[in-house]
Amino acid sequence: MTSAVVLLVVGGFLLGGAWSIWKADSDTHGRTGPQVFFAVVLLVAAVLATASGLLRLV
């Protein structure tokens, strides 16, 4: 398995984690500040990992 495939898999895993955190909101309080921050950090990491994987394939 090449490093490009590993980066794509990691990017997908991080994207799933960001989605999971984003969807885990409270019915009464909504999303908290740290929850939004962590979801955005995971989303940025997922985009970077996926872009790196795609660039290594080229």
Side-chain angles (χ1 to χ4, degrees), residues 21-32 35:
I21 289 174
W22 186 256
K23 293 300 289 180
D25 59 340
S26 172
D27 291 334
T28 57
H29 300 293
R31 292 179 187 88
T32 63
Q35 184 180 15

Side-chain angles (χ1 to χ4, degrees), residues 1-4 6-7 18 29 40-42 44-45 49 54 56:
M1 194 159 38
T2 66
S3 60
V6 171
L7 283 169
H29 300 293
V40 168
V41 167
L42 282 178
V44 168
L54 288 174
R56 287 180 77 67

Side-chain angles (χ1 to χ4, degrees), residues 13-14 16-18 21-22 33 43 45 51-53:
F13 180 75
L14 290 171
I21 289 174
W22 186 256
L43 182 62
S52 298

Side-chain angles (χ1 to χ4, degrees), residues 3-12 14-15 42-58:
S3 60
V5 174
V6 171
L7 283 169
L8 289 173
V9 169
V10 168
L14 290 171
L15 184 62
L42 282 178
L43 182 62
V44 168
V47 168
L48 289 174
T50 303
S52 298
L54 288 174
L55 287 175
R56 287 180 77 67
L57 283 175
V58 174

